[in-house]
Amino acid sequence: MSVMVVRKKAMRKWEKLPGRNTFCCDGRIMMARQKGIFYLTLFLILGTCALFFAFECRYLAVQLSPAIPVFAVVLFLFAMAMLLRTSFSDPGVIPRALPDEAAFIEMEIEATNGTVPQGQRPPPRIKNFQINNQIVKLKYCYTCKIFRPPRASHCSICDNCVERFDHHCPWVGNCVGKRNYRYFYLFILSLSLLTIYIFTFNIVYVALKSMKIGFLNTLKETPGTYLSPPRGAYLPLPPLCPVVGLTGFHTFLVALNQTTNEDIKGAWTGKNRVQNPYSHGNIVKNCCEVLCGPLPPSVLDRRGILQQEDSSAQGENSTRGPSTQEPSTPEKSSTQEPSAAQVLGAQVVGSIREGSSSPTRQSAVPMLPLSPTGMPEEAQPSAVELPAQSWEDGPTEH
Amino acid sequence: LSPQAHDLQELRRSASLATKVFVQRDYNDGTLCQFQTKFPLELDSRLERQLFEETVKTLNGFYTEAEKIGGSSYLEGCLACATAYFIFLCMETHYEKVLKKISKYIQEQNEQVYAPRGLLLTDPVERGMRVIEISIYEDRCGSTSSGSTSSGGGGGR
């Protein structure tokens, strides 16, 4: 009997990632769902620069120097590259805990907190660490089922925990976090320079032309479009102030090694002797670390192949012999045995399926004692009264 | 040789996943990637403390090397910035190079230390750098929890 075996295209992990991101180019590009404002950003930058190159540059290159448009092109390309890099890269998303890990953490929490009487609210899930003589509280994320690392925060728009979370920027259509902060900073810096550059040379253009044909004639010289020079000269002005202001603000943050999130929440405002434990105390060192420090790669593994069984007409399950053809049925609750090579220490790349029954087999094993504060035994510095606001963005809290 | 090979196959098929232990991150040095060297009690009967600590300390050393802020990392950062980060299309970052070293080290450890004891280390990079996952296997038959896979006679037969 002939059977039709339909082989599905290998599914990549990005197709099954939780969270509210969109992926393009088979997982190479990662953005937030709402991209409308990002398209607006692109339009504004491209539009302004197109007008500048089309009109002013032709005149200024002849009258002053051809270096003017060349430098503008370099600055424009750099700003666009940084924008696309910020928008398309993984900001530092922390993958959610797999079921086994989540269950393990739950057991640890229960061991710490003990049984809570009926009707009482369970105590908040917090772990304390001492970083640089500062007590830092790690909060538990109910969505991702992990204790968030220090400086990480859960973005409610993208529904992901992001390391060194700065803010979610609708203008770039992505979160700004550990992995793309330097691109974001370079983008706003280069955009500020570009805006100032275009604005300056627009003024120069108007001035030069006025000297030749008079100011009023310069104003009258319009091919009919509203945006043509010299009216278009003032186009860069509206974005100039906010972009330059933002660059100044982020320069301040970089110098202090703070994130926008920490600044907004007033995490290190200085009351109760709270200092930023991540700052090196030296502006140059802070800048170097934030902008030139080592770049961690993405741990999301968007383009990894998801182990999938080939769909076949007769519904036969693929055998477990070959290691690449293991059935992937996350709903299966029984533990799956590993294939031959794995027990002997071959690298397992996501092919062991976790079983939900494993925690129950641990009844005979003593619980890991988790000290309530996880702090070292030596004298503790005065506990810090952090502001009443939670560590995460308000709307994200469960 | 063939009966021994046959026993090896038997042994492989007879192991099943018993439980997993997760070694958590240690944030006492800030946001640097370091793991706790506290010995998990579930491994008490399987693994010597010293071996475990050595593994975790070596891994911590690798991560420190990857995240080291110094002359070479600044140079890499500045060069990358000057090329608008296009240089990373042809070049690996220092961090990625160290991650490859870590991957090799974990494979070595699994082959030499952990697999013979019925354990399996998972590279933290596959768990989002949150934990070191150690899977504990035991004989399916349950009669002997033999650690060595190369012992003649096999288990359960």
Side-chain angles (χ1 to χ4, degrees):
Chain A
M1 202 165 285
S2 65
V3 167
M4 271 261 282
V5 177
V6 177
R7 283 192 174 266
K8 271 201 275 195
K9 182 174 76 87
M11 196 179 250
R12 295 202 187 256
K13 289 184 183 170
W14 65 263
E15 300 180 57
K16 292 287 183 198
L17 277 178
R20 287 196 284 269
N21 290 100
T22 41
F23 297 90
C24 312
C25 294
D26 202 18
R28 290 181 181 89
I29 289 176
M30 176 175 173
M31 293 182 73
R33 248 181 222 173
Q34 297 96 342
K35 298 186 275 294
I37 304 186
F38 167 68
Y39 294 136
L40 177 66
T41 309
L42 277 179
F43 173 74
L44 286 174
I45 298 175
L46 292 172
T48 316
C49 292
L51 287 173
F52 179 70
F53 291 131
F55 297 106
E56 280 93 333
C57 271
R58 282 191 292 181
Y59 183 81
L60 289 169
V62 169
Q63 297 293 323
L64 285 180
S65 158
I68 294 172
V70 168
F71 189 70
V73 167
V74 168
L75 209 47
F76 164 72
L77 289 175
F78 188 79
M80 285 304 296
M82 290 301 105
L83 168 65
L84 296 179
R85 191 104 197 189
T86 311
S87 306
F88 295 163
S89 58
D90 173 7
V93 172
I94 305 173
R96 298 193 185 186
L98 296 168
D100 274 347
E101 195 188 325
F104 186 84
I105 296 177
E106 288 272 346
M107 278 194 328
E108 276 192 350
I109 295 173
E110 275 166 31
T112 320
N113 294 340
T115 41
V116 179
Q118 271 288 25
Q120 264 194 27
R121 217 160 46 133
R125 299 177 165 192
I126 289 182
K127 257 194 206 174
N128 286 331
F129 278 92
Q130 187 188 352
I131 300 175
N132 229 347
N133 288 325
Q134 211 61 247
I135 309 280
V136 173
K137 291 182 197 285
L138 303 191
K139 269 204 140 177
Y140 182 78
C141 179
Y142 286 89
T143 313
C144 305
K145 303 227 185 323
I146 55 169
F147 275 97
R148 269 183 225 119
R151 312 193 90 177
S153 191
H154 191 96
C155 175
S156 53
I157 301 172
C158 303
D159 203 23
N160 288 318
C161 271
V162 178
E163 282 194 83
R164 201 187 183 277
F165 181 72
D166 196 84
H167 66 286
H168 180 98
C169 185
W171 298 96
V172 305
N174 204 357
C175 286
V176 178
K178 180 161 114 172
R179 293 193 70 248
N180 64 353
Y181 183 74
R182 71 192 66 191
Y183 309 135
F184 174 75
Y185 180 78
L186 289 171
F187 164 62
I188 55 176
L189 182 65
S190 55
L191 188 64
S192 306
L193 292 174
L194 186 64
T195 321
I196 294 171
Y197 189 88
I198 291 180
F199 185 66
T200 309
F201 280 102
N202 279 346
I203 304 296
V204 166
Y205 171 86
V206 170
L208 279 181
K209 269 233 148 147
S210 307
M211 285 197 314
K212 293 235 162 80
I213 62 175
F215 186 65
L216 283 174
N217 287 331
T218 313
L219 288 180
K220 275 192 225 158
E221 189 192 28
T222 59
T225 63
Y226 182 75
L227 294 175
S228 71
R231 289 210 195 107
Y234 309 109
L235 198 64
L237 190 58
L240 192 144
C241 304
V243 175
V244 172
L246 191 66
T247 309
F249 173 64
H250 276 280
T251 309
F252 163 77
L253 289 181
V254 165
L256 296 180
N257 201 341
Q258 266 192 33
T259 63
T260 309
N261 197 36
E262 287 162 356
D263 188 70
I264 287 177
K265 300 235 162 94
W268 320 116
T269 46
K271 60 179 180 183
N272 290 338
R273 297 229 216 111
V274 180
Q275 301 284 330
N276 183 359
Y278 312 107
S279 168
H280 296 277
N282 178 341
I283 290 181
V284 174
K285 262 196 140 178
N286 283 339
C287 289
C288 286
E289 189 202 318
V290 176
L291 300 176
C292 303
L295 191 63
S298 171
V299 290
L300 264 191
D301 192 21
R302 306 186 291 272
R303 291 181 42 79
I305 304 279
L306 204 56
Q307 304 298 330
Q308 275 242 341
E309 62 178 316
D310 295 326
S311 62
S312 55
Q314 73 264 43
E316 181 191 321
N317 275 344
S318 60
T319 59
R320 283 200 211 106
S323 57
T324 52
Q325 295 298 325
E326 271 188 33
S328 111
T329 46
E331 307 85 39
K332 249 172 134 178
S333 58
S334 61
T335 9
Q336 286 223 14
E337 278 100 284
S339 67
Q342 289 154 10
V343 181
L344 292 183
Q347 270 300 330
V348 176
V349 188
S351 50
I352 294 182
R353 297 281 158 231
E354 286 76 33
S356 58
S357 57
S358 48
T360 59
R361 293 201 218 172
Q362 287 194 55
S363 49
V365 178
M367 301 283 207
L368 262 191
L370 181 73
S371 66
T373 55
M375 291 200 308
E377 283 72 31
E378 53 266 18
Q380 310 155 13
S382 55
V384 158
E385 197 67 50
L386 288 174
Q389 296 162 13
S390 63
W391 274 91
E392 341 18 70
D393 305 330
T396 69
E397 245 336 74
H398 293 52
Chain B
L1 202 69
S2 100
Q4 203 174 26
H6 178 71
D7 285 334
L8 263 176
Q9 287 275 358
E10 275 286 303
L11 212 57
R12 287 174 194 169
R13 277 195 292 263
S14 72
S16 70
L17 181 63
T19 186
K20 290 184 182 182
V21 177
F22 297 93
V23 179
Q24 304 285 334
R25 285 271 294 267
D26 176 14
Y27 292 113
N28 285 313
D29 282 331
T31 50
L32 298 173
C33 184
Q34 299 279 282
F35 290 95
Q36 293 183 0
T37 48
K38 200 171 63 174
F39 186 71
L41 295 173
E42 289 92 337
L43 298 178
D44 210 4
S45 54
R46 298 285 198 130
L47 184 66
E48 295 81 18
R49 260 173 212 259
Q50 194 217 349
L51 287 172
F52 171 80
E53 278 176 15
E54 194 189 306
T55 307
V56 178
K57 283 196 174 133
T58 314
L59 286 176
N60 283 344
F62 275 125
Y63 286 116
T64 309
E65 186 197 327
E67 296 181 13
K68 196 170 72 118
I69 305 171
S72 61
S73 73
Y74 291 154
L75 199 62
E76 190 187 51
C78 292
L79 180 68
C81 178
T83 61
Y85 298 94
F86 281 108
I87 199 169
F88 289 140
L89 291 172
C90 0
M91 191 179 95
E92 261 186 342
T93 65
H94 173 67
Y95 209 112
E96 281 166 351
K97 288 185 192 144
V98 178
L99 284 183
K100 284 207 168 138
K101 278 203 272 188
I102 290 172
S103 181
K104 242 178 90 176
Y105 173 75
I106 288 182
Q107 193 160 7
E108 264 172 51
Q109 287 285 290
N110 271 332
E111 282 166 10
Q112 291 166 11
V113 178
Y114 289 84
R117 291 167 171 79
L119 301 170
L120 186 70
L121 276 184
T122 304
D123 196 335
V125 92
E126 292 167 28
R127 296 290 177 263
M129 310 281 258
R130 294 185 306 268
V131 288
I132 304 175
E133 183 182 298
I134 304 178
S135 311
I136 303 175
Y137 292 95
E138 62 187 23
D139 266 0
R140 201 189 299 184
C141 318
S143 50
T144 48
S145 61
S146 64
S148 167
T149 51
S150 53
S151 59
R157 251 288 158 156

